[in-house]
Amino acid sequence: MKSRAFLEELITKTSEELNVELVNAKKELFNLRFQNATNQLDNTARIKEVRKNIARIQTIITQKATV
């Protein structure tokens, strides 16, 4: 259910807001990978969740560009 709400939130955003969201998600993914490499990350499932969120954001950006 969480991903559905996140997706609906993304659809209402503008292209610029989506690009900012994408940059923030990529930064978060980098930080999570760094923490994982240094064994400081407790919730490793968060990496997978952020990767899927990045894919969702990119999909919405592509859909808005073609319309």
Side-chain angles (χ1 to χ4, degrees), residues 13-64:
K13 292 188 176 189
T14 65
S15 296
E16 291 123 16
E17 290 172 333
L18 288 171
N19 285 327
V20 169
E21 189 84 24
L22 182 62
V23 168
N24 290 337
K26 286 185 176 184
K27 284 181 184 178
E28 182 181 0
L29 181 61
F30 174 79
N31 290 331
L32 289 172
R33 285 182 175 161
F34 196 86
Q35 288 176 0
N36 192 32
T38 58
N39 291 325
Q40 295 177 347
L41 185 62
D42 294 329
N43 185 9
T44 56
R46 182 73 179 132
I47 294 174
K48 185 176 180 181
E49 184 180 334
V50 171
R51 285 180 57 215
K52 286 187 176 188
N53 285 343
I54 289 172
R56 287 185 184 107
I57 294 168
Q58 289 175 334
T59 300
I60 300 296
I61 289 172
T62 304
Q63 287 177 349
K64 287 186 181 266

